[in-house]
Amino acid sequence: MSSRAEGRERHRTAARGGVAVGLVCTVVLAGAGYVAWELRGIVATRADGDPARGVYQQDPERADRTAAAVLDGIVREEAEPPTDGKVFAGSGAVDWRSGGWKPSDPLEARPAPAEPAIGALFSPGGDGDPDHHCSGVVVHSPGGDLVATAAHCVHAGGFRTNLAFAPGYRDGVAPYGVWVPTRIDVDPRWTADQDPDHDIAFLRLRRPGYPGQRLEDVTGAMTIAFGTELPAPARLVGYPNSSEQPLDCRTTALPAGPTQLRLDCADVPNGTSGGPVLTDGHTLIGVIGGRDGGGDDETSYSVRFGDAARALHERSIRP
């Protein structure tokens, strides 16, 4: 359950204090920590990890199998990224303060070129999701291996054990490779009760078959900012789960209470959860998610990056 619509339903269910209809535990492998859940007849694999800390250390062999599954008929890698500047060129490198930035008119998301540091999250297997179910963004870090996304993209009833990230993805091509988690960090308040004020996650990634290669060296990275003054010009980017290219929208990030960002822009559909909210063209101030599982047909939300997000980020980059 990782789309905006599913996120909204999940939070409504949690607010009622109920349990999602049809959710039945069918298999528990205690030694490996894996749980297979049946949701309306669909099987998805999860791991408990360390919910008290909000940490999951991914099993390397399991991660390698996930990468192989993505590359087995879902995505193909290319030996070298395209260099024609047309398909995979970034669209966000604009000097916003010099007048180069203007809001979308009308305020509607539209297809956009793929960008190296922004990609699609895949979860191959029988969990009922489309091939790519969420979005993510590479964030600068000492290890050069960090991606930010929404917590609901990686943890729902447990940590997803079948995640892979394809930066710069477009039309079935992963020009910068397929990357898998070594570790996932979320706030314990998310693992406890899916608190929408903590709907952010950080993933540390590696590329199977390329030991020592660093994600950030291949794709570049966005910087991350905390406590950004609002309102602020903002661009949101994400991969609809029904499309093979990203979309974006330029709007204004507004405060939605002390803990959330509001971004008015129509036609930001399922699959864009976890996509970046950027200001100054390259500074990450949010990820699509948070209130109502990320929003509705007219408005998107994000956790407001404050002290809690800063603490989670600092924890995620420690060795």
Side-chain angles (χ1 to χ4, degrees), residues 1-4 7 10-11 119 121 133-137 147-156 158-160 163 165 184-187 190 195-196 198-203 237 271-277 284 286-291 293-295 301-303 305 312:
M1 294 192 295
S2 54
S3 70
R4 291 154 61 92
R10 182 173 59 250
H11 291 303
L121 271 177
H133 71 284
C134 270
S135 306
V137 57
V147 162
T149 188
H152 75 255
C153 292
V154 302
H155 183 284
F159 288 94
R160 284 183 181 264
L163 288 170
F165 179 67
I184 301 172
D185 283 88
V186 300
D187 193 288
W190 177 266
D195 184 337
H198 299 282
D199 193 4
I200 178 175
F202 293 101
L203 286 64
V237 190
T272 55
S273 288
V277 178
L284 184 72
V287 293
I288 300 171
R291 181 178 296 180
Y301 293 98
S302 164
V303 171
F305 285 4
L312 181 64

Side-chain angles (χ1 to χ4, degrees), residues 269-282:
N270 296 346
T272 55
S273 288
V277 178
L278 302 166
T279 193
D280 296 334
H282 58 81

Side-chain angles (χ1 to χ4, degrees), residues 170-264:
R170 169 109 186 221
D171 294 332
V173 176
Y176 307 99
V178 172
W179 302 72
V180 294
T182 59
R183 193 175 86 190
I184 301 172
D185 283 88
V186 300
D187 193 288
R189 285 164 287 194
W190 177 266
T191 59
D193 60 8
Q194 299 180 4
D195 184 337
D197 288 340
H198 299 282
D199 193 4
I200 178 175
F202 293 101
L203 286 64
R204 294 180 66 166
L205 304 180
R206 64 178 176 86
R207 186 179 181 187
Y210 293 79
Q213 189 175 77
R214 299 186 347 148
L215 175 61
E216 187 174 333
D217 295 339
V218 176
T219 65
M222 306 298 180
T223 56
I224 188 168
F226 304 94
T228 299
E229 185 176 349
L230 299 177
R235 184 171 68 101
L236 56 154
V237 190
Y239 282 81
N241 58 26
S242 60
S243 175
E244 294 302 286
Q245 71 178 98
L247 54 72
D248 75 358
C249 182
R250 296 167 189 250
T251 183
T252 300
L254 301 168
T259 59
Q260 299 276 324
L261 299 181
R262 171 183 156 187
L263 304 128
D264 292 325

Side-chain angles (χ1 to χ4, degrees), residues 57 81 319:
Q57 300 280 354

